[in-house]
């Protein structure tokens, strides 16, 4: 029997945390609850969660700092939870490495759906695939492998969260094809995303910080439309 996927719930409101745990337990997830940021970091090391549900407004170390600490050593998917719905807060959370952002109060079915969607995107291939099944694109000084979720840039491995890699792979798989932000949201996020299209801009910005323009290719902005992976002939 396959082991249950583990969800770490970090929320100072224990009533909300227990309710979330109940929803997820019914869906056959294993959960652990901590009520402050300081406890979240050792919990990650001991519980080894597959995903973290992280409240922003925590006593002591807030959710943003917890996200920074986790991202410094791991690419575990993080869904931020907050009563703060301003665009600034959403963009900051995504820039720090969160994979999704949900406003409180939220619908329990939507929360479970998002947890499952993020875990599906994060799941890596369990065994080596046949050559024909390998999802890999190569350009000078850049290799993007979506089968084992790895990126080699200028001969070195580059760490990036699943959605960043999937966005880069999707664009690079269709060189010189222009995609709108809405198309990229639909293709990469796979459901009707509750945020706005700035989510795509944030992820492109993070990719550009890690993958600089090359003489043979670049991530190009098509103003007023979207983005493309431009290959120079």
């Amino acid at each position: 029997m396959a082991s249950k996927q583990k969800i770490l719930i970090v929320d100072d409101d224990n009533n909300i945390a227990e309710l979330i745990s109940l929803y997820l337990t019914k869906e056959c997830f294993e959960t652990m609850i901590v009520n402050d940021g300081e406890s979240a970091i050792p919990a990650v090391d001991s519980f080894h969660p597959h995903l973290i549900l992280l409240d922003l407004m925590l006593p002591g170390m807030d959710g943003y700092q917890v996200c920074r600490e986790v991202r410094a050593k791991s690419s575990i998917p993080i869904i931020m939870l907050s009563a703060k719905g301003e665009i600034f807060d959403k963009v900051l959370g995504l820039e720090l490495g969160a994979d999704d952002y949900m406003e409180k109060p939220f619908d329990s079915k939507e929360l479970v759906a998002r947890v499952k969607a993020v875990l599906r995107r994060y799941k890596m291939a369990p065994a080596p695939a046949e050559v024909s099944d390998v999802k890999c694109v190569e350009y000078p000084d850049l290799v993007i492998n979506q089968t084992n979720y790895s990126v080699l840039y200028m001969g070195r491995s580059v760490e990036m969260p699943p959605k960043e890699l999937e966005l880069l792979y999707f664009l690079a798989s269709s060189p010189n094809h222009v995609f709108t932000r809405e198309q990229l949201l639909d293709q990469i996020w796979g459901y009707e995303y509750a945020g706005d299209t700035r989510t795509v801009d944030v992820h492109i910005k993070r990719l550009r910080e890690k993958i600089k323009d090359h003489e043979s290719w670049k991530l190009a902005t098509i103003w007023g439309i979207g983005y493309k992976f431009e290959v120079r002939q």
Side-chain angles (χ1 to χ4, degrees):
M1 181 182 293
S3 59
K4 293 182 179 180
Q5 291 181 297
K6 301 178 180 179
I7 311 295
L8 177 63
I9 303 165
V10 187
D11 199 312
D12 63 331
D13 188 327
N14 202 55
N15 290 329
I16 292 177
E18 290 285 357
L19 194 59
I20 292 172
S21 178
L22 179 62
Y23 297 147
L24 294 172
T25 301
K26 286 182 177 179
E27 296 293 327
C28 296
F29 290 103
E30 180 180 348
T31 65
M32 177 180 181
I33 296 172
V34 296
N35 300 121
D36 60 80
E38 285 82 0
S39 301
I41 305 304
V44 170
D45 295 330
S46 61
F47 186 56
H48 302 295
H50 295 88
L51 181 143
I52 302 171
L53 290 172
L54 178 62
D55 185 38
L56 288 184
M57 306 303 289
L58 297 168
M61 182 187 295
D62 66 18
Y64 293 122
Q65 185 59 36
V66 173
C67 187
R68 289 189 190 95
E69 295 280 341
V70 173
R71 277 291 166 263
K73 59 181 180 180
S74 173
S75 60
I76 298 169
I78 297 173
I79 298 179
M80 285 187 168
L81 309 175
S82 178
K84 302 169 69 175
E86 288 80 3
I87 292 298
F88 171 80
D89 297 301
K90 294 181 181 180
V91 170
L92 177 57
L94 292 168
E95 285 184 333
L96 291 175
D99 295 87
D100 205 346
Y101 187 110
M102 289 192 70
E103 292 180 41
K104 295 179 178 179
F106 44 75
D107 179 81
S108 60
K109 291 182 180 179
E110 182 183 1
L111 175 65
V112 172
R114 291 205 187 194
V115 166
K116 290 180 177 179
V118 170
L119 286 170
R120 279 197 301 270
R121 294 195 299 269
Y122 185 74
K123 185 178 181 181
M124 298 183 185
E130 297 295 327
V131 173
S132 60
D133 293 332
V134 173
K135 295 182 178 180
C136 183
V137 291
E138 296 187 32
Y139 293 96
D141 296 316
L142 180 66
V143 180
I144 310 159
N145 189 323
Q146 192 172 294
T147 299
N148 63 12
Y149 277 71
S150 66
V151 174
L152 283 176
Y153 170 62
M154 305 296 286
R156 62 182 178 83
S157 178
V158 179
E159 293 292 328
M160 57 180 65
K163 281 194 292 189
E164 283 182 28
L165 187 147
E166 290 168 13
L167 177 58
L168 180 62
Y169 177 83
F170 181 77
L171 289 168
S173 296
S174 300
N176 297 322
H177 184 104
V178 179
F179 294 95
T180 67
R181 291 169 175 82
E182 291 79 9
Q183 287 174 321
L184 293 172
L185 278 173
D186 182 61
Q187 289 291 328
I188 306 306
W189 278 256
Y191 58 92
E192 188 175 353
Y193 191 65
D196 66 76
T197 53
R198 282 193 63 186
T199 300
V200 176
D201 300 336
V202 169
H203 283 76
I204 292 289
K205 176 177 178 288
R206 280 156 45 182
L207 283 171
R208 285 173 170 161
E209 290 171 353
K210 300 172 183 179
I211 307 291
K212 306 299 182 184
D213 287 352
H214 191 275
E215 62 182 10
S216 300
W217 48 263
K218 70 174 183 177
L219 284 170
T221 300
I222 309 302
W223 297 107
I225 301 176
Y227 299 97
K228 70 175 178 178
F229 189 88
E230 182 177 299
V231 176
R232 297 168 180 139
Q233 303 300 326

